[in-house]
Amino acid sequence: MATLAIAVLTLTTRFSSSSSPYYSNFFFTRSFNHFTTKLVSFEKTHQRRRFFCSNCKRAMASSAATTIPSLSERITAPYGSWKSPITTDVVSGASKRLGGTAVDGRGRLIWLESRPAESGRGVLVVEPENPGGEAVDITPKEFGVRTVAQEYGGGAFTVSGDVVFFANYKDQRLYKQSISSLDVPPIPLTPDYGGPVVSYADGILDVRFNRFISVREDRCESSQNPTTTIVSIALGSKDAQEPQVLVGGSDFYAFPRLDPKSERMAWIQWSHPNMPWDKSELWVGYISENGEIYKRVCVAGNNPSLVESPTEPKWSSDGELFFITDRENGFWNLHKWIESENKVLPVYSLEAEFARPLWIFGMNSYEFLQSHTRKNLIACSYRQQGKSYLGIIDDVKGSKLTVLDIPFTDIDNITSSNNYLFVEGASAVHPSSVAKVTLDNDKSKAVDFNIIWSSSPDSLKYSSYFSKPELIEFPTEVPGQNAYAYFYPPTNPDFQASEEEKPPLLLKSHGGPTAETRGILNLSIQYWTSRGWAFVDVNYGGSTGYGREFRERLLGRWGIVDVNDCCSCATYLVNSGKVDGERLCITGGSAGGYTTLAALAFKETFKAGASLYGVADVNMLRAETHKFESHYIDRLGGGEKGCYERSPINHVDKFSCPIILFQGLDDKVVPPEQARKIYQALKEKGVPVALVEYEGEQHGFRKAENIKFTLEQQMVFFARLVGHFNVADDINPIKIDNFD
């Protein structure tokens, strides 16, 4: 339920029934994206563009110098009515999505970015030859880099020297392209099956046998139950050859990784009913002279008395296998395989997460470095108590971890190149970015930090309006158990509210639900807070980032733990005097939409809500979802009975507060009928309700115009129903049944 689909759309907005004199269908040329994920860019991009590069410290110093009005100079106005330069146009047009990074043979950074102005097309870009130069698009306009393997994709490209291998979105075939000869079109490596029915991901070049090894998902016979294998693709032939299966038999595979001599291959595999973060296995296969795997050893995950989920295997330059697993303390920590004894040893133990759940392919949480004095230094990122850190450790047990001082408080992936680390990250004032971190000779300090790529390079000009997230820990309904959230207070240098008033609150329930919300700059959140709303982003029980025990709170209790924790968080903020208890609203998309609908059906904490393609019928989701998550719902929902009892669609009589629903008409995960049934029931019951439907949209919306439309309609819906204020922006509200 991590929403990553991209679609081209027009929208149909329906907001009343034929029995109403106000009934009509309105056709807009608009579209929208849920804001539970990082927003994508609407920036016009050319084949060659001005390269964005700035020194973070200089930019922040310039930003800090902005004059902010004193309290006496600020306009006193009700919360929610403040005027802000962070408009929906700024939000919808200000950011791009990053799809991974790599380094070519010359040490240059290559990144994958999606472009909503080009219908979400994924484009590989290489950094300029010289600082201040122009970045260059690698991907020809008729191609788009994206794989749909395992539904959510990731790992869509691999760079080796001067060659890039990538999956093309339209036909899902693998292609090879020269980086230095961009006038030469990409060459297909895999057969044409007459449609995008076979996908590839997470590949690696095998120099020894001149082949490319990749995870393959084959949907030729069944789209609901495709076959997943690890295959090899020959590179020497002029014509695309049928890939050869190297490893098969398990339900899922990821991270095929070769040792330096291509004599051994490691990989991760798992099978139903487990998700990869529940229980997986790490295997090593020995490669024969003819390229086949003749012997296999299970390194981790086969001990029935030891529950673990190994991930991210990687071979060092001298042929030692490292990986991350949560076998001992319940946190994903670095480990090493002692091949001679088939034994696993911890490299560094810490109650922190050195990896993330495997929703997508291609994650890279650590890299090997070389220094003049020590071998196999490991640059790694880890997450502890809501914050990310970049550290350097060596492979000696008990060694000290050296934390590098960089501005990012959130880190996704890292890529190494000579004396540099390219770090994908963000912070409360940095949007999703890639920074070039220069290390000293000993690889123990960061001596320079420069932003190479930014999803929103102009965002700093709004910095005086940014609300900084406060990590809060609040008690849940279970005695002794706490959960976490990021609280954003209303912030606007031009306005203030009266001392007697407390702000309205918008609570966001993230999707996944095995995901983690992070306290980074998100202009859609700033859209709310700069207008006088308080905003809170909840990491309810079941979220990642806090260890296995916290993550497994949700097993069998989805629709209970998440709902209770969101309600507890809102109540905590009311009791702390931070927000108005009579103006509590909730929003969420996909699984977050389910939590939103369940909270509105089964609890009385919130006064209004917005569901973005939210799951309303859990049993229908169990029956119709794709292979990757086909048993996930059983583990979360407590079987058919639990899923029925906790499905809001089966309890529409319990809804009693206003709801606005947003739904894609081509959504295969959450069919439109679910939203329509809730809409119809609330309309008949007399509860204020509105429904917005988007033609051509799937599960998760991508168009920049949709971000704009959805933010505006949520804002004005909440303002009219529970806000008791007039919005400052010129928004034409859609009709609300049982209200207008």
Side-chain angles (χ1 to χ4, degrees):
M1 285 162 285
T3 309
L4 298 173
I6 295 177
V8 180
L9 60 99
T10 55
L11 88 87
T12 302
T13 305
R14 301 179 182 140
F15 51 77
S16 60
S17 69
S18 56
S19 61
S20 167
Y22 298 101
Y23 172 76
S24 72
N25 289 338
F26 285 80
F27 294 86
F28 299 79
T29 56
R30 297 183 180 179
S31 41
F32 98 95
N33 178 5
H34 74 88
F35 54 92
T36 58
T37 62
K38 298 175 183 175
L39 303 179
V40 289
S41 173
F42 194 59
E43 177 186 346
K44 185 177 181 181
T45 315
H46 303 279
Q47 177 71 10
R48 294 180 182 268
R49 297 155 302 150
R50 183 66 182 169
F51 183 69
F52 172 76
C53 181
S54 67
N55 183 278
C56 171
K57 295 180 181 178
R58 286 200 301 269
M60 290 308 299
S62 173
S63 171
T66 303
T67 302
I68 298 177
S70 65
L71 290 176
S72 61
E73 296 174 318
R74 296 181 183 179
I75 301 170
T76 300
Y79 287 115
S81 69
W82 301 348
K83 189 73 175 177
S84 169
I86 305 176
T87 64
T88 51
D89 285 321
V90 171
V91 174
S92 63
S95 68
K96 298 167 282 190
R97 169 172 288 135
L98 188 67
T101 57
V103 173
D104 70 4
R106 298 164 59 186
R108 296 180 299 173
L109 177 69
I110 294 174
W111 64 87
L112 173 62
E113 65 181 40
S114 62
R115 298 177 179 170
E118 301 177 37
S119 300
R121 186 172 76 97
V123 180
L124 288 167
V125 185
V126 61
E127 71 170 312
E129 294 284 349
N130 303 305
E134 294 181 346
V136 178
D137 287 359
I138 297 173
T139 308
K141 291 184 178 180
E142 62 271 25
F143 290 84
V145 181
R146 181 187 169 202
T147 177
V148 298
Q150 204 167 276
E151 190 70 18
Y152 300 121
F157 74 100
T158 301
V159 177
S160 180
D162 184 52
V163 178
V164 59
F165 302 87
F166 68 90
N168 185 44
Y169 176 56
K170 288 185 179 180
D171 57 16
Q172 288 296 288
R173 298 172 72 186
L174 271 178
Y175 288 80
K176 179 177 71 171
Q177 182 184 10
S178 170
I179 301 172
S180 59
S181 303
L182 296 181
D183 55 331
V184 179
I187 300 171
L189 299 176
T190 54
D192 183 357
Y193 296 101
V197 293
V198 179
S199 299
Y200 304 87
D202 211 8
I204 186 171
L205 179 65
D206 184 354
V207 178
R208 180 187 176 193
F209 294 100
N210 192 28
R211 60 185 180 178
F212 190 75
I213 295 175
S214 175
V215 174
R216 181 182 69 178
E217 183 180 79
D218 187 344
R219 300 179 296 279
C220 290
E221 295 185 3
S222 172
S223 59
Q224 285 292 103
N225 189 33
T227 301
T228 303
T229 54
I230 297 176
V231 299
S232 67
I233 299 107
L235 300 178
S237 176
K238 292 183 179 180
D239 299 321
Q241 302 293 313
E242 184 69 26
Q244 300 299 308
V245 175
L246 292 177
V247 181
S250 189
D251 287 325
F252 304 99
Y253 294 93
F255 295 110
R257 298 295 184 261
L258 293 168
D259 73 7
K261 297 181 180 180
S262 294
E263 295 176 345
R264 296 165 296 176
M265 183 177 73
W267 69 86
I268 298 294
Q269 66 181 50
W270 68 99
S271 291
H272 291 316
N274 296 303
M275 297 300 282
W277 49 84
D278 294 325
K279 192 177 189 304
S280 59
E281 297 174 348
L282 168 61
W283 286 78
V284 169
Y286 293 82
I287 303 172
S288 67
E289 291 298 324
N290 62 3
E292 296 179 351
I293 293 178
Y294 67 91
K295 174 185 174 184
R296 303 182 187 187
V297 175
C298 188
V299 173
N302 64 335
N303 186 344
S305 64
L306 186 64
V307 178
E308 62 178 323
S309 51
T311 186
E312 294 197 48
K314 188 173 296 188
W315 300 89
S316 68
S317 59
D318 53 4
E320 289 187 301
L321 180 63
F322 291 75
F323 62 99
I324 298 173
T325 190
D326 57 349
R327 62 165 47 195
E328 293 169 349
N329 59 4
F331 288 84
W332 278 310
N333 285 185
L334 275 164
H335 289 70
K336 180 173 67 172
W337 180 45
I338 308 302
E339 182 178 12
S340 60
E341 304 175 50
N342 192 22
K343 184 170 66 174
V344 171
L345 295 178
V347 174
Y348 191 87
S349 297
L350 186 68
E351 289 193 354
E353 301 283 33
F354 285 73
R356 291 165 286 145
L358 206 162
W359 277 105
I360 61 173
F361 292 105
M363 294 182 295
N364 199 48
S365 302
Y366 67 101
E367 283 274 29
F368 295 109
L369 302 174
Q370 295 293 327
S371 76
H372 299 298
T373 58
R374 289 171 288 175
K375 287 186 176 181
N376 289 345
L377 291 179
I378 302 173
C380 58
S381 63
Y382 65 94
R383 193 152 179 85
Q384 188 175 47
Q385 294 298 309
K387 183 180 178 181
S388 294
Y389 299 87
L390 181 65
I392 305 290
I393 61 178
D394 60 38
D395 60 358
V396 178
K397 183 181 178 182
S399 62
K400 293 183 179 180
L401 183 148
T402 302
V403 178
L404 302 181
D405 184 14
I406 63 171
F408 286 163
T409 57
D410 184 271
I411 298 172
D412 284 332
N413 299 307
I414 57 178
T415 303
S416 65
S417 174
N418 300 322
N419 291 325
Y420 306 115
L421 289 174
F422 292 107
V423 180
E424 301 175 32
S427 74
V429 294
H430 295 88
S432 176
S433 307
V434 179
K436 186 177 185 178
V437 180
T438 305
L439 305 177
D440 64 359
N441 289 334
D442 291 333
K443 307 296 190 295
S444 60
K445 292 182 181 179
V447 296
D448 198 14
F449 180 93
N450 286 283
I451 300 293
I452 299 295
W453 177 92
S454 173
S455 61
S456 181
D458 295 329
S459 61
L460 276 176
K461 67 183 180 182
Y462 305 109
S463 61
S464 62
Y465 293 84
F466 291 167
S467 176
K468 306 295 177 58
E470 171 193 349
L471 179 64
I472 61 173
E473 183 175 352
F474 59 91
T476 68
E477 290 194 1
V478 178
Q481 285 189 357
N482 292 348
Y484 307 89
Y486 292 98
F487 176 71
Y488 298 79
T491 303
N492 189 311
D494 304 319
F495 290 89
Q496 63 184 0
S498 66
E499 294 183 359
E500 295 78 20
E501 187 186 9
K502 295 186 185 302
L505 173 72
L506 181 60
L507 181 145
K508 187 177 78 172
S509 171
H510 68 68
T514 307
E516 179 188 6
T517 190
R518 300 185 172 196
I520 63 176
L521 180 60
N522 183 333
L523 289 181
S524 65
I525 293 177
Q526 304 301 326
Y527 171 81
W528 293 90
T529 57
S530 63
R531 283 163 175 74
W533 280 76
F535 195 103
V536 67
D537 215 346
V538 183
N539 276 318
Y540 47 79
S543 304
T544 54
Y546 298 90
R548 178 181 284 270
E549 183 179 343
F550 190 88
R551 190 169 70 246
E552 291 185 344
R553 287 184 189 178
L554 205 60
L555 293 181
R557 294 177 60 80
W558 188 33
I560 299 176
V561 170
D562 50 327
V563 169
N564 289 345
D565 287 0
C566 286
C567 293
S568 294
C569 181
T571 301
Y572 172 82
L573 291 172
V574 172
N575 294 338
S576 300
K578 295 180 180 293
V579 300
D580 185 349
E582 296 302 313
R583 295 189 289 176
L584 303 178
C585 301
I586 184 172
T587 186
S590 189
Y594 166 70
T595 301
T596 293
L597 292 172
L600 296 172
F602 305 128
K603 298 285 187 176
E604 298 181 354
T605 303
F606 299 99
K607 307 303 180 183
S611 170
L612 286 65
Y613 46 88
V615 177
D617 189 333
V618 183
N619 271 322
M620 181 177 290
L621 184 67
R622 290 173 65 239
E624 299 183 359
T625 195
H626 50 94
K627 178 184 177 183
F628 178 59
E629 294 182 81
S630 60
H631 289 262
Y632 183 41
I633 312 305
D634 276 330
R635 292 178 62 82
L636 292 176
E640 183 176 356
K641 180 180 179 182
C643 290
Y644 179 87
E645 292 175 347
R646 297 175 213 155
S647 292
I649 204 166
N650 299 321
H651 304 277
V652 291
D653 58 308
K654 295 184 179 180
F655 286 106
S656 60
C657 69
I659 301 176
I660 184 169
L661 303 116
F662 297 87
Q663 179 66 46
L665 293 179
D666 290 347
D667 193 335
K668 296 180 181 179
V669 178
V670 179
E673 192 58 35
Q674 296 193 27
R676 290 172 180 168
K677 183 175 180 180
I678 291 177
Y679 163 71
Q680 191 66 32
L682 267 65
K683 188 172 63 172
E684 293 175 358
K685 191 177 180 181
V687 176
V689 63
L691 171 63
V692 179
E693 295 184 326
Y694 299 91
E695 289 186 345
E697 273 291 22
Q698 302 173 9
H699 189 67
F701 314 128
R702 288 293 186 261
K703 288 286 187 176
E705 310 93 282
N706 289 341
I707 303 169
K708 174 182 169 69
F709 188 70
T710 303
L711 282 175
E712 289 179 341
Q713 294 307 318
Q714 285 188 92
M715 172 68 73
V716 74
F717 182 87
F718 292 146
R720 298 179 70 199
L721 273 301
V722 301
H724 310 302
F725 57 81
N726 294 319
V727 296
D729 303 274
D730 184 16
I731 300 174
N732 184 25
I734 62 174
K735 183 181 179 297
I736 303 172
D737 286 286
N738 301 320
F739 184 76
D740 291 318

